[in-house]
Every structure is written in structure tokens, then in C-alpha cells.
Amino acid sequence: MALNFPNLSRSFDSRKRCVRFWAHDASLEVPFFVEADALTRIDPDATADEPGMLSSFDLNRDLICAAAERAYARGRRGSYTLSAADMN
């Protein structure tokens, strides 16, 4: 089944230096994290603070969701962390 991203919520975790967001596979909620390094790779002008990371996420949501779908399709379970290498 395909993922969908009905929840536009996202949050910045300064300790882990990532943005957390969620997808759904039918009734299953799937947590994702995108690392700050991945966000600065796709948006080199992004600042590493919370407003910069959230803005970068919002500007690149389609690219990030596509990377999340590819990671999910690989068959791992639990939460998924997207790194700079996932941002193709």
C-alpha cells in the first residue's frame, strides 16, 4: 500500500538535529526523521536553527516525501531516518 502524508505537522528536534514528520499506510502511522544535513544538502542556504530547518522542510516537502516513500518501500519497519544520501 502507498504512503500518504495527510498530516502537515512537523517538528524540529534540536537534540537529534532533525525534523520529525509522519505518514500513513492505511491506518498505520509511520514516523520519519529527516536529518539536518539532508536539509542543508537540498537547501544550502538553510540555517541550522529551528526556523531554518522547518522552512527548508516546508520548501522541499515534495522531495522529502518522495525520499520517505523510497525508504519505506525498502521494507524496514519502525521509524525511518532520512539522511543526505536519501535526497536524490
Side-chain angles (χ1 to χ4, degrees):
M1 179 158 284
L3 286 180
N4 66 49
F5 299 87
N7 184 350
L8 298 180
S9 296
R10 76 285 185 270
S11 61
F12 181 68
D13 185 326
S14 60
R15 187 177 60 80
K16 292 182 180 179
R17 295 191 23 83
C18 64
V19 173
R20 180 183 177 125
F21 65 105
W22 297 265
H24 287 93
D25 181 352
S27 64
L28 177 66
E29 185 174 70
V30 183
F32 286 89
F33 301 89
V34 59
E35 296 175 342
D37 291 343
L39 292 168
T40 57
R41 178 176 183 180
I42 59 177
D43 185 3
D45 295 328
T47 57
D49 58 2
E50 181 173 358
M53 293 291 96
L54 293 177
S55 176
S56 178
F57 181 91
D58 292 342
L59 290 170
N60 296 286
R61 184 179 291 272
D62 290 342
L63 177 70
I64 294 164
C65 289
E69 289 173 341
R70 288 190 302 272
Y72 188 74
R74 290 194 288 262
R76 296 176 293 177
R77 294 291 178 244
S79 65
Y80 299 80
T81 300
L82 305 175
S83 68
D86 294 308
M87 298 298 133
N88 297 330

